[in-house]
Amino acid sequence: MQLGLVGLGRMGGNMRERLRAAGHEVIGFDRNPGVSDTASLAELAEKLAAPRAVWLMVPAQYTEATVDGLIEVLSPGDIVIDGGNSRFSDDLPRAEKLDQHGIGYIDVGVSGGIWGRENGYGLMVGGDEQHVERLMPIFDALKPAGEFGFVHAGPVGAGHYAKMVHNGIEYGLMHAYAEGYELLTASELVTNVPGVFKSWREGTVVRSWLLDLLDRALDEDPELADLSGYTEDTGEGRWTVDEAVRLGVPLNVITASLFARFVSRQDDSPAMKAVSALRQQFGGHAVRKN
Amino acid sequence: MQLGLVGLGRMGGNMRERLRAAGHEVIGFDRNPGVSDTASLAELAEKLAAPRAVWLMVPAQYTEATVDGLIEVLSPGDIVIDGGNSRFSDDLPRAEKLDQHGIGYIDVGVSGGIWGRENGYGLMVGGDEQHVERLMPIFDALKPAGEFGFVHAGPVGAGHYAKMVHNGIEYGLMHAYAEGYELLTASELVTNVPGVFKSWREGTVVRSWLLDLLDRALDEDPELADLSGYTEDTGEGRWTVDEAVRLGVPLNVITASLFARFVSRQDDSPAMKAVSALRQQFGGHAVRKN
Amino acid sequence: MQLGLVGLGRMGGNMRERLRAAGHEVIGFDRNPGVSDTASLAELAEKLAAPRAVWLMVPAQYTEATVDGLIEVLSPGDIVIDGGNSRFSDDLPRAEKLDQHGIGYIDVGVSGGIWGRENGYGLMVGGDEQHVERLMPIFDALKPAGEFGFVHAGPVGAGHYAKMVHNGIEYGLMHAYAEGYELLTASELVTNVPGVFKSWREGTVVRSWLLDLLDRALDEDPELADLSGYTEDTGEGRWTVDEAVRLGVPLNVITASLFARFVSRQDDSPAMKAVSALRQQFGGHAVRKN
Amino acid sequence: MQLGLVGLGRMGGNMRERLRAAGHEVIGFDRNPGVSDTASLAELAEKLAAPRAVWLMVPAQYTEATVDGLIEVLSPGDIVIDGGNSRFSDDLPRAEKLDQHGIGYIDVGVSGGIWGRENGYGLMVGGDEQHVERLMPIFDALKPAGEFGFVHAGPVGAGHYAKMVHNGIEYGLMHAYAEGYELLTASELVTNVPGVFKSWREGTVVRSWLLDLLDRALDEDPELADLSGYTEDTGEGRWTVDEAVRLGVPLNVITASLFARFVSRQDDSPAMKAVSALRQQFGGHAVRKN
């Protein structure tokens, strides 16, 4: 089928290729003319036959403006799909705004990173059944070949919600491996730490795609000597903890993983300075000065 | 090759089958005559040609006594392999005791649970190179068919150490999925929680064998209604935290996973009673009485 | 000086008494005519000489409506003081709304609970210097007699912000004692747990007012047998964690204390059911059924 | 009464002064002749009238050797008191060793740090009733003047156990304040952070001796600019977590406080390097290189 695709960066560009390889007609728009198929959103709308479907794959901070731009050029009966990293709570207001113009809305959480073009993307979809039905050929082309990788998770917002939780879990999984890595490197007994991780890739309870990637990283740099521990976070982890707090759900593991990223970005910890100050005050403990 | 195998329970029994299917001659001993190939350790030793290799697959609390029994019947040049869930710190004293009788020792952490007979077992091995070499035909038969699933992790103790860390990571991984599950079930938006987990099995960053198993469990019981949250722990998680404390390694995620199991076994929390008592004292907050 | 006081519940009623004992003229309004000095906000405004100062001590959900009611009856040059448990982020919009009517605004975090009438209240104040100056006679009467207990923490919002952090710290302090209590009760060695807490009240590093209260609670009920561990939370703890997430500050201790309250209110843990399900799947571990 | 006191460092020296000021006859021994009253343990024993009481205040690593030395010079009916930071599990074996020579044993956890000489020391005592009775004059002189500060917590070991838990709680309390400090410094709203802490010293729920000390530290250095966050730990925190693990008690807060100290001593985190490596692998996320 025909699809408009707005945002042709690392993710969007790969998705266009995967969709075209599956026989779909993709007309892309990007601010960068070097990768864009059209000169403007208006031209994009013109080239698509109604009823149109336009998939957004833009950084979250540009999503709302892009939706506003599309409202100018789309028609009743069209559908907008947001595949970017929007916060789930933005989806319903956005859907209602589009609905006032007769335009449908679907939110899609997309997982898979740079590997998705080859392996397919994990897709978590929120929206009305009828809208989801119309897009199924596109979802089928983007998802992996097997029986998994796609879910219609619920009404508008549910797709990004499921993706948010997916990323929260991802934080926890990564940190569990990371802690195991640190303990193994601290041990006097285990002399072949990369070999241990490699061995775990089959036959063990902890085998996973993330473990495969960690083994790959250790193949390239067995002591991770070239990397800094300084680690960014990209929003979904924080939203997951916010939701935990709002709903009264205890997420000790995921929150600890998020907080460890915060710590990784500190040169020194104000909290630990306060602990040092207290130890010096009550115990006369020698503490380290700056 | 020929192998003596002591302990023919769920794990040992399956391993005997996998080894025999690979063409090895396994002579088993178990306290339960219904599954045992021999009447005693002495008979086991008699039936094996020297130099012998005897693999222990007994509950950890019986390992030391079994080793003592084997010392009575084995000869210099023989090897004992402990594939059970021993604490790594017991390995070196055990190796030294056996060494006084000229008997070698290898420790093996075995992962894979009830699926190992079919898929192969993940094997983490500690011991001298020469001893490990001698056992390679056995390891090759037990491990999965692919290139992974086996590591010689270091000297005596390193096998059980690696397995301990494996299980610590396993605690963290399981709890990360579990927290995501709880948040999804608490959400008002996501209406198809089992479907979300199923979809994640391909194309996503969180795909893993544990996720496959969670999907399997949700297929059988979509709301996990038949299960209690009461959860045991089996030693390795505690040893992992003990090691973290000993070595000064911060394991927030794995420790939180272990502590959540402790909480799951409490009818009421003495700590939270104390918090309740304090709130009543300072704020006149209404608190719940027993 | 003269003060209007809206909300004469447990906190407001006590504060009226403390202020009157200090010689201030307090005119109170409450929806409950049995405790109110006036029949309406309008009558309250009438009885106060301009420029007026009206202190709100109402439950947070009624604050905005009460402010709206006051705007109807107050005049330019008057000041509204919110001493309730408002979220700090509500303060600036509220101040701006009042400012459009020429009315000033101060936010005050009030600590001390039911003990404040006797001991004085800890006051954390946010607002313009000139407004704070005008209210100093009131603050001086409410605060404890000594040199502490009052701070002008910053501009509008800073008072409730400081109170929010105060309560976050309070969660952590309470839980630290609570964990120590639980460990002592679990120990086989310590036979006099209440005596240990009582002894700590002088000479130790952990002495505090909360410890005094815990000792008091243990005097009344040495095993806390009459209390349930079920524990509510009242907002400030959650806001503290939200702020930590927003600002990228790692609050492991305070967050763990909050999450422990969430757990205390669960009959069974969905997360631990998922862990149980996984253990059953991979290990054939016997798990507890409902 | 007469007391032998072995170890006249910062703690022991202060205790000698406090005891002498209370009218007791203290004969001290220290390896440092500049502070010692006697030339040897033998001379110490000679100068004391039987039945003797000898209090040890030596670093934990010298305790066992000192006890062995005392066995050589003491007589049946004498008592040894260990007031140092011994691990509680060392107490019973030590008591049994001394008992074979007819010598009694008491373990005392001593709190109060450098302030104890003036304020008195918090004392947690383990041992037989008859031994404790004999030492009461000494305990009365060391403890604070009021009704608190002393407990006979249980049999041998209970004193050090209670002190261990005291220190575990102390870790949690300190970290709760420290987290609040960090959040306040990160806030854009609160402009007077030291003032907030100072105000909390009266009238609030969080008032405590540790808070007084933190205020004192902020008076000296309002931004704690001279201090490093690098923070040691001295054993009791680790033992507390070990006990939690052994007894199955969930100590999330205390453990998080301990782990934060571990983190404070790392230049870079191996765990976070592993997280960085994973993010780079799956997402092509730009990560920081060393």
Side-chain angles (χ1 to χ4, degrees):
Chain A
M1 65 179 274
Q2 210 185 30
L3 183 77
L5 181 56
V6 179
L8 300 166
R10 196 169 46 194
M11 286 293 284
N14 281 341
M15 291 165 75
R16 178 170 60 175
E17 292 194 40
R18 186 169 173 93
L19 286 167
R20 286 180 176 167
H24 294 294
E25 182 191 352
V26 182
I27 303 172
F29 172 72
D30 196 277
R31 293 182 307 173
N32 172 5
V35 299
S36 189
D37 303 321
T38 56
S40 65
L41 288 181
E43 190 187 321
L44 177 73
E46 239 169 75
K47 288 192 176 173
L48 293 166
R52 304 172 188 84
V54 180
W55 185 299
L56 306 193
M57 213 65 206
V58 300
Q61 66 265 36
Y62 302 123
T63 306
E64 213 56 44
T66 310
V67 166
D68 290 341
L70 283 172
I71 286 175
E72 302 294 316
V73 300
L74 295 182
S75 314
D78 293 348
I79 298 183
V80 169
I81 306 102
D82 177 20
N85 283 321
S86 293
R87 190 163 186 166
F88 74 91
S89 49
D90 293 334
D91 284 317
L92 194 56
R94 192 176 292 153
E96 289 171 345
K97 180 163 67 175
L98 285 161
D99 185 57
Q100 287 171 7
H101 300 271
I103 304 169
Y105 180 72
I106 294 177
D107 58 288
V108 186
V110 179
S111 182
I114 53 177
W115 301 77
R117 181 176 153 195
E118 185 182 333
N119 297 344
Y121 298 91
L123 303 176
M124 296 142 255
V125 178
D128 290 354
E129 185 64 38
Q130 65 193 83
H131 296 144
V132 177
E133 277 301 320
R134 258 175 65 190
L135 267 295
M136 277 312 297
I138 298 298
F139 296 144
D140 282 334
L142 286 174
K143 74 184 264 305
E147 59 179 308
F148 310 117
F150 172 85
V151 65
H152 182 188
V156 164
H160 281 135
Y161 199 99
K163 177 58 163 45
M164 174 191 77
V165 177
H166 167 281
N167 282 35
I169 292 173
E170 178 189 306
Y171 275 57
L173 300 180
M174 288 166 72
H175 212 74
Y177 288 116
E179 289 187 356
Y181 173 77
E182 180 162 339
L183 188 59
L184 283 174
T185 59
S187 156
E188 313 88 347
L189 264 181
V190 173
T191 53
N192 184 4
V193 173
V196 167
F197 277 90
K198 188 178 287 296
S199 81
W200 286 346
R201 293 183 60 179
E202 285 178 26
T204 70
V205 174
V206 302
R207 63 190 189 262
S208 72
W209 188 62
L210 280 167
L211 180 69
D212 294 347
L213 293 183
L214 187 50
D215 176 45
R216 202 165 171 271
L218 290 168
D219 274 348
E220 295 169 5
D221 181 359
E223 300 191 339
L224 305 180
D226 287 346
L227 287 170
S228 157
Y230 182 103
T231 309
E232 300 283 358
D233 70 283
T234 52
E236 288 90 348
R238 298 190 188 206
W239 303 337
T240 303
V241 176
D242 282 343
E243 270 295 282
V245 167
R246 186 179 70 84
L247 294 171
V249 172
L251 292 198
N252 291 286
V253 160
I254 292 172
T255 306
S257 307
L258 177 66
F259 285 172
R261 296 199 183 184
F262 294 170
V263 171
S264 82
R265 303 199 293 259
Q266 297 185 319
D267 278 333
D268 201 355
S269 157
M272 295 315 296
K273 285 180 173 223
V275 171
S276 267
L278 283 169
R279 294 182 79 236
Q280 188 177 38
Q281 289 290 333
F282 72 71
H285 290 287
V287 296
R288 206 176 271 200
K289 302 283 180 173
N290 269 333
Chain B
M1 64 178 276
Q2 210 184 32
L3 183 78
L5 181 55
V6 180
L8 300 166
R10 194 169 46 192
M11 286 293 284
N14 281 342
M15 289 164 75
R16 177 170 61 177
E17 292 193 43
R18 185 168 174 94
L19 286 167
R20 285 178 175 167
H24 293 293
E25 182 191 351
V26 181
I27 303 171
F29 171 72
D30 195 278
R31 293 182 308 171
N32 171 5
V35 299
S36 190
D37 303 321
T38 56
S40 66
L41 289 180
E43 189 186 323
L44 176 72
E46 239 169 76
K47 288 193 175 171
L48 293 166
R52 304 171 187 85
V54 181
W55 185 298
L56 306 192
M57 212 64 208
V58 301
Q61 66 266 36
Y62 301 123
T63 306
E64 212 57 45
T66 309
V67 166
D68 290 341
L70 284 171
I71 286 174
E72 302 294 319
V73 301
L74 294 183
S75 313
D78 294 348
I79 298 183
V80 169
I81 306 100
D82 176 19
N85 284 321
S86 293
R87 191 164 187 167
F88 75 90
S89 49
D90 293 335
D91 285 315
L92 193 58
R94 191 176 293 152
E96 290 171 346
K97 181 163 67 176
L98 285 161
D99 185 58
Q100 288 171 8
H101 300 272
I103 304 170
Y105 179 72
I106 294 176
D107 59 288
V108 186
V110 178
S111 182
I114 53 177
W115 301 77
R117 180 176 153 195
E118 187 182 333
N119 298 343
Y121 299 90
L123 304 176
M124 295 142 256
V125 177
D128 291 353
E129 185 62 39
Q130 65 193 84
H131 296 144
V132 176
E133 278 301 319
R134 260 175 65 192
L135 267 295
M136 277 313 298
I138 298 299
F139 296 145
D140 282 335
L142 286 173
K143 74 184 264 302
E147 59 179 310
F148 309 117
F150 171 86
V151 65
H152 182 188
V156 164
H160 281 134
Y161 199 99
K163 178 58 162 47
M164 174 190 79
V165 177
H166 167 281
N167 283 35
I169 292 172
E170 177 189 308
Y171 275 57
L173 299 180
M174 289 167 69
H175 212 72
Y177 288 117
E179 288 187 356
Y181 173 77
E182 180 163 337
L183 189 59
L184 283 175
T185 58
S187 156
E188 314 86 346
L189 263 181
V190 174
T191 53
N192 183 4
V193 174
V196 168
F197 276 91
K198 186 177 288 297
S199 82
W200 287 345
R201 294 183 59 180
E202 284 178 28
T204 69
V205 174
V206 303
R207 62 190 190 262
S208 72
W209 188 61
L210 280 168
L211 180 70
D212 294 345
L213 293 182
L214 187 50
D215 176 47
R216 202 167 171 268
L218 290 167
D219 275 347
E220 294 169 6
D221 180 359
E223 300 191 339
L224 306 180
D226 286 346
L227 286 170
S228 156
Y230 182 105
T231 309
E232 300 283 358
D233 70 283
T234 52
E236 288 91 348
R238 298 190 187 205
W239 302 337
T240 303
V241 176
D242 282 342
E243 270 294 280
V245 167
R246 186 178 70 84
L247 294 170
V249 172
L251 293 197
N252 291 286
V253 160
I254 291 172
T255 306
S257 308
L258 176 66
F259 285 172
R261 296 199 183 183
F262 294 170
V263 171
S264 81
R265 304 198 293 259
Q266 295 185 321
D267 279 334
D268 201 355
S269 157
M272 294 315 297
K273 285 181 174 223
V275 171
S276 267
L278 282 169
R279 294 184 77 236
Q280 188 176 39
Q281 289 291 333
F282 72 71
H285 291 287
V287 296
R288 206 176 271 199
K289 302 282 181 176
N290 269 333
Chain C
M1 62 179 275
Q2 211 186 30
L3 183 77
L5 181 55
V6 180
L8 300 165
R10 194 169 47 191
M11 287 292 285
N14 280 343
M15 290 165 75
R16 178 171 60 175
E17 293 194 40
R18 186 170 174 93
L19 286 168
R20 285 178 175 166
H24 293 294
E25 182 192 351
V26 181
I27 303 170
F29 171 71
D30 195 277
R31 293 181 307 171
N32 172 5
V35 299
S36 189
D37 303 321
T38 55
S40 65
L41 288 181
E43 188 186 324
L44 176 72
E46 237 167 77
K47 289 191 174 174
L48 293 166
R52 306 171 186 85
V54 181
W55 185 299
L56 307 192
M57 213 64 208
V58 300
Q61 66 266 36
Y62 301 124
T63 305
E64 212 56 45
T66 309
V67 166
D68 290 341
L70 284 172
I71 286 174
E72 303 293 318
V73 300
L74 294 183
S75 314
D78 293 349
I79 297 184
V80 169
I81 306 101
D82 177 20
N85 284 322
S86 294
R87 190 164 187 167
F88 75 90
S89 49
D90 293 334
D91 285 316
L92 193 57
R94 192 176 293 152
E96 290 171 345
K97 182 163 66 176
L98 286 160
D99 186 58
Q100 288 171 7
H101 301 270
I103 304 169
Y105 180 73
I106 294 176
D107 59 288
V108 185
V110 178
S111 183
I114 53 177
W115 301 76
R117 179 175 155 195
E118 187 182 334
N119 297 343
Y121 298 90
L123 304 176
M124 295 143 256
V125 177
D128 290 354
E129 186 63 38
Q130 65 192 83
H131 296 144
V132 176
E133 278 300 318
R134 259 173 67 190
L135 268 295
M136 277 313 298
I138 298 298
F139 296 144
D140 281 334
L142 287 173
K143 73 184 265 304
E147 59 179 309
F148 309 117
F150 171 85
V151 66
H152 182 190
V156 164
H160 281 135
Y161 199 99
K163 178 57 162 47
M164 173 191 79
V165 177
H166 167 281
N167 283 36
I169 292 172
E170 178 190 307
Y171 274 58
L173 299 180
M174 289 166 71
H175 212 73
Y177 288 117
E179 288 186 357
Y181 174 76
E182 180 162 337
L183 188 60
L184 282 174
T185 59
S187 156
E188 314 87 348
L189 263 180
V190 173
T191 53
N192 183 6
V193 173
V196 168
F197 277 91
K198 187 177 288 297
S199 81
W200 287 346
R201 292 183 61 178
E202 284 178 27
T204 69
V205 175
V206 302
R207 63 191 189 263
S208 72
W209 188 61
L210 280 168
L211 180 70
D212 294 346
L213 294 182
L214 187 50
D215 176 45
R216 202 167 172 268
L218 289 168
D219 275 347
E220 295 170 6
D221 180 359
E223 301 191 338
L224 305 181
D226 287 345
L227 286 170
S228 157
Y230 182 104
T231 308
E232 300 283 0
D233 70 283
T234 52
E236 288 91 348
R238 298 191 188 207
W239 303 337
T240 304
V241 177
D242 282 343
E243 270 294 280
V245 167
R246 185 179 71 84
L247 294 170
V249 172
L251 292 197
N252 291 286
V253 159
I254 292 172
T255 306
S257 307
L258 176 66
F259 285 172
R261 296 200 183 182
F262 295 170
V263 171
S264 82
R265 303 198 294 260
Q266 296 185 319
D267 279 334
D268 201 354
S269 157
M272 295 314 298
K273 285 181 174 224
V275 172
S276 267
L278 282 169
R279 295 183 77 237
Q280 189 176 39
Q281 289 290 333
F282 72 70
H285 291 287
V287 296
R288 204 175 272 198
K289 302 283 182 176
N290 269 334
Chain D
M1 65 178 276
Q2 209 186 31
L3 183 77
L5 181 56
V6 180
L8 301 166
R10 195 169 46 193
M11 287 292 285
N14 281 342
M15 291 166 74
R16 177 170 60 175
E17 291 194 42
R18 186 169 174 95
L19 286 167
R20 284 178 177 168
H24 293 294
E25 182 191 350
V26 182
I27 304 171
F29 171 71
D30 195 278
R31 293 182 308 170
N32 171 6
V35 300
S36 189
D37 303 321
T38 55
S40 65
L41 288 181
E43 190 185 322
L44 176 73
E46 239 169 75
K47 289 191 174 173
L48 294 166
R52 305 170 187 85
V54 181
W55 184 298
L56 306 192
M57 213 64 208
V58 300
Q61 66 266 37
Y62 301 124
T63 306
E64 212 58 44
T66 310
V67 166
D68 290 341
L70 283 171
I71 286 174
E72 301 294 317
V73 299
L74 295 182
S75 314
D78 294 347
I79 298 184
V80 169
I81 306 101
D82 176 20
N85 285 320
S86 292
R87 190 163 187 166
F88 75 91
S89 49
D90 293 334
D91 285 316
L92 193 57
R94 191 176 293 153
E96 289 171 345
K97 180 163 66 174
L98 285 160
D99 185 58
Q100 287 170 7
H101 300 272
I103 305 169
Y105 181 73
I106 294 177
D107 59 288
V108 186
V110 178
S111 183
I114 53 177
W115 301 78
R117 181 174 153 197
E118 185 182 335
N119 298 343
Y121 297 91
L123 303 176
M124 297 143 254
V125 178
D128 290 355
E129 186 64 38
Q130 66 192 84
H131 295 145
V132 176
E133 278 300 319
R134 257 174 68 191
L135 268 294
M136 277 312 297
I138 298 298
F139 295 144
D140 282 334
L142 286 174
K143 75 183 265 304
E147 60 179 307
F148 309 116
F150 172 85
V151 65
H152 182 189
V156 164
H160 281 134
Y161 199 98
K163 177 58 164 43
M164 174 190 78
V165 176
H166 167 280
N167 283 34
I169 292 172
E170 178 189 308
Y171 275 58
L173 300 180
M174 288 166 71
H175 213 74
Y177 288 117
E179 288 187 356
Y181 173 77
E182 180 162 338
L183 189 58
L184 282 174
T185 59
S187 155
E188 313 87 347
L189 264 180
V190 173
T191 53
N192 183 4
V193 174
V196 168
F197 278 91
K198 187 177 289 294
S199 81
W200 287 345
R201 294 183 60 179
E202 284 178 27
T204 69
V205 174
V206 303
R207 63 190 189 263
S208 72
W209 188 62
L210 280 168
L211 180 69
D212 295 346
L213 294 182
L214 187 50
D215 175 46
R216 202 166 171 271
L218 289 168
D219 274 347
E220 295 169 5
D221 181 359
E223 300 190 340
L224 305 181
D226 287 346
L227 287 169
S228 156
Y230 182 103
T231 309
E232 300 283 358
D233 71 283
T234 52
E236 289 90 348
R238 298 189 188 206
W239 304 336
T240 303
V241 176
D242 282 342
E243 270 294 281
V245 167
R246 186 179 70 85
L247 294 170
V249 172
L251 292 197
N252 290 286
V253 160
I254 292 172
T255 306
S257 307
L258 177 66
F259 285 172
R261 296 199 183 183
F262 294 170
V263 171
S264 81
R265 303 198 294 260
Q266 296 185 321
D267 278 334
D268 201 355
S269 157
M272 294 315 297
K273 285 179 174 225
V275 171
S276 267
L278 283 169
R279 294 183 77 237
Q280 188 177 38
Q281 289 290 334
F282 71 70
H285 291 287
V287 296
R288 206 176 271 199
K289 302 283 180 175
N290 269 332

